[in-house]
Amino acid sequence: MTLAIVLLSVLLLGPFSKEESAIGINDKFMHFVAFYVVTCMSLGVLQTIRKFDIFVIMLGYATLSELLQGFVGRDANFYDWCADAIGITLAILPLYSRGIYSKNNRAPERRTSPW
């Protein structure tokens, strides 16, 4: 997990934007995939932390990475952040919908009544 975060940081903050476009990789798609994968890994490894907290941490990380890109010679781009946020959201959303589904489909509790 730590290695994935370090690798993602290097890719986001390193001077690789020209290489991405040279081989035809869409920058927004790569942001989406990277944050989707790291968020999925976070959810798997950090199971004792609430999903919402992981969501907030990952959005904070995405925001920080975009802000720092402006200082290292890359473009801080709102649309990159949007791609990050979509990746994070799509990684967490199925877990929330599964939780909602399971809460709504529980068998009703039986009440014991003397009558």
Side-chain angles (χ1 to χ4, degrees):
M1 175 68 192
T2 303
L3 181 61
I5 295 288
V6 170
L7 180 62
L8 181 60
S9 298
V10 168
L11 291 174
L12 289 171
L13 300 175
F16 304 113
S17 61
K18 292 176 184 160
E19 287 80 5
E20 292 169 351
S21 60
I23 59 175
I25 297 175
N26 183 315
D27 181 51
K28 307 304 180 261
F29 179 72
M30 290 309 298
H31 275 264
F32 165 79
V33 169
F35 275 88
Y36 179 86
V37 168
V38 171
T39 303
C40 286
M41 291 174 65
S42 299
L43 291 166
V45 171
L46 306 171
Q47 293 181 2
T48 59
I49 298 176
R50 294 183 315 164
K51 290 181 279 294
F52 181 77
D53 292 343
I54 292 174
F55 178 78
V56 170
I57 291 167
M58 292 304 297
L59 277 180
Y61 178 68
T63 302
L64 181 64
S65 70
E66 287 304 319
L67 292 174
L68 289 176
Q69 283 182 11
F71 295 107
V72 296
R74 294 187 68 159
D75 293 331
N77 189 323
F78 174 73
Y79 296 110
D80 285 348
W81 181 86
C82 288
D84 300 343
I86 291 169
I88 295 164
T89 302
L90 290 180
I92 291 180
L93 192 61
L95 297 176
Y96 273 108
S97 62
R98 185 179 71 187
I100 291 168
Y101 177 78
S102 65
K103 285 180 186 175
N104 289 336
N105 289 314
R106 287 186 191 152
E109 294 182 23
R110 295 184 181 221
R111 295 184 182 184
T112 56
S113 172
W115 310 105

